[in-house]
Amino acid sequence: MPDGTESESRKLLGRLRDTMAEDAAGQARLDKITHLTADSMGSEVCSIYLFRDEDTLELCATEGLKKEAVHQTRMRMGEGLVGRVARSGKVVNTADAPSAKGFRYMPETGEEIYSSFLGVPIQRLGETLGVLVVQTKQKREFTSDEVYALEVVAMVLAEMTELGAFVGDTAALSARHTQPTMLRGGTGQEGTTEGHVWLHEPRVMVTNLVADDPERELQRLDAAIEQLRVSVDEMLAGAVEDAEQLEVLEAYRMFANSKGWRRRMEEDISRGLSAEAAVEKEQSAARARMSQVADNYLRERLHDLDDLSNRLLRILTGQGKDTGASMPADPILVARNIGPGELLEYGRQLRGIVLEEGSVGSHAAVVARALAIPLVINATRITTEALNGDHIMVDGDQGLVHLRPDDTVVTAFRDKIAMQAEAQERYASIRQKPAISQCGKRISLYMNAGLLADLPSLENSGAEGVGLFRTELQFLVRNKMPSRTELVAVYKRVIEAAEAAGDKPVIFRTLDIGSDKVLPYMKPTDEPNPALGWRAIRVGLDRPGVMRMQLQALLRASEGRPLTLMFPFVAQWEEFRAARAEVDKAMAIERKLGHVVPEKISVGTMLETPSLAYASNKFFEEVEFVSIGGNDLKQFFFAADRENERVRRRYDTLNVSFLTFLEQIVQRCSATGTPLSFCGEDAGRPIEAICLAAIGLHRLSMRPASIGPVKSLIMRTDLDALYDVICDARERGEQSVRGAVMDFMRWQG
Ligand code: PEP
Ligand code: MG
């Protein structure tokens, strides 16, 4: 097809479709495709290379190269011209292959006599499955129409691979989505779990790729785009309050009206693709670009285009979100990303969650933690690899996902789950016991909370109370600002649950937003360093409206019972004073309005900035209690962003400098008699927790699931002896006391 006209390309697609319709299966199909592509394109060679595993391509069919090389010739990603196409995901078109960059001579194929080379990636939704190549003896570059035609064949091939069209008695490769696969991601919430995949966004299956009647396909596309446009306009009309949602919808509208997008799809149709295949081709291109774009904003917009393409595909294929599949009894949710509200809707029925994106500080991670559901984030390719109902094992501790695991993995993994279950039983047996160390020190263990979903843990974790109630979570999981009435209802339920669990205390922390906690409905502030920016108490004091509303809600919810509050991110005394004055003001207003006020109110502060550790003694005398927010304090102490994967694990909590700093805070509080606790994530890590206890932090607040393991270790440890170990390591000049502590623990048994 040297002149590459549209009708030629349609003819080729028509012949491909006929091939698909024939009985031939497996290898025979692949052979036919190479034969007719070479024939249609007037090239001596056409070859299909497919990935055997992540890194190895295999020659799976050829017309023109030596037949003996089929399933023998293999190359690694990046190797030779074929490997170059696979790695870059880009076309290689050269008239003189042997002198092109990366050419590798493969004698078994007999390809040395071919001069021109055109290789295109076989891609589906941004994932490269293999490479399709044509070669000619005659030295010439292929025209752009020829490149296009081969790309379309590659796309059809990708779909056929997806649909298992090459699997049969004579199968060259096993069907996709059948092999065991391990994906490596990051820890969002610890815990191991097993279950079956439930896709949050089920994939739309496109089965008719090729169409005879382009006019009809164009009409179908037109009608579908029109329907899409109307639905986007309707969504826009109903979403006036939500800034972020508005931005997404505006982007949808922009794409839905985009002439370029439409023109490219129309062109694909005129060359023989069905309307849905044309949409998917564009979607695939957008996905491929997504993986290469570094700019966050652009990536988001490409995601929007991806979402929009899915909507369009659903309209065209008539496949709704409800595919008729029923949720398995042990669902593991698989999604690209998910909002906190949607996650809460699934609730505790989920056994585990695997996200293709996400971050430790994302709202979804916050909710997963509250629900104690193991979560793996950044599991690249999970949404393309996993199918509804696939067997899946999730290791939240290591950030690993085993999809369709083989027997050895299943056995090893189940052993791990059984060991954890045994440990859970041990923890349950000490639930009602106090955490008293071997040397007789009583350590109080509290839980961190923030959602109503956390409340059952007040009973079943053994927590003595809530040491940190993160009130911002109620703001984060909604898509609009909660009203005072709604807040009163939530706080009341928390207070009542704590009362019912045996009059357990609750420390409410006032709104801590900004930095990583961005309210979806708040105007984004474009700050160079959000963690050091306008956040928490700074926002509360500068814009006191919300803080006042929240304080009123807390006062009302207490209905006269004692109330304990603390402020986040106080960096200097004055901020505490000003915030404390707001509490007094709110009390006065409530009294004036005739509401009962708490019989006793205690107001403390978080200590999350080094500056506050050096405030004057008078400050420590004035505050009623201090709670160390170790997550923030540590990031500022080491100048290492807690959200940045590159640096967040770089500095050990058991680093001598940090422990010494914490010990100084203990001494200052003890000098003024100020109650002190620690409520960062480290309190929930058993080794870190015993070290904190050893230096004098006797009140720890942590995730409910950590209380058992922490208590168990405290009960087995002589904290006085451990303190000596810490001091000795410090004396010796160790950078971190971890090594010495681990030796001590092993020795202790
Ligand atoms: C902390 O910084 O340690 C803390 C408990 O607050 P958050 O994690 O909510 O910032
Ligand atoms: Mg904090």
Side-chain angles (χ1 to χ4, degrees), residues 17-38:
R17 190 196 34 206
D18 295 344
T19 305
M20 288 188 271
E22 281 169 16
D23 272 352
Q27 188 67 41
R29 263 192 181 174
L30 278 173
D31 292 343
K32 277 202 166 165
I33 292 170
T34 52
H35 173 75
L36 78 90
T37 307

Side-chain angles (χ1 to χ4, degrees), residues 658-691:
F658 192 52
L659 281 186
T660 306
F661 176 54
L662 293 178
E663 209 179 346
Q664 278 177 13
I665 301 171
V666 172
Q667 285 156 1
R668 296 212 60 188
C669 286
S670 108
T672 49
T674 316
L676 175 66
S677 62
F678 184 103
C679 64
E681 292 300 311
D682 285 315
R685 301 192 174 104
I687 295 293
E688 280 80 345
I690 51 170
C691 292

Side-chain angles (χ1 to χ4, degrees), residues 12 29 143 168 263 266 269 397 461 485 507 658 663 668:
L12 171 55
R29 263 192 181 174
T143 65
R263 200 193 56 239
E266 286 171 352
I269 289 175
D397 304 333
S461 69
T485 317
I507 302 179
F658 192 52
E663 209 179 346
R668 296 212 60 188

Side-chain angles (χ1 to χ4, degrees), residues 468 470 509 512 517 606 608 629-632 642 679-680:
L468 164 66
R470 291 181 162 105
R509 177 175 76 182
D512 181 11
K517 297 166 190 159
M606 298 275 294
E608 302 182 275
N631 307 334
D632 274 313
R642 64 192 262 195
C679 64

Side-chain angles (χ1 to χ4, degrees), residues 344-362:
L344 273 175
E345 262 171 44
Y346 282 109
R348 287 185 199 275
Q349 61 177 326
L350 296 179
R351 289 273 181 93
I353 307 162
V354 184
L355 300 180
E356 192 149 324
E357 300 176 352
S359 69
V360 267
S362 68

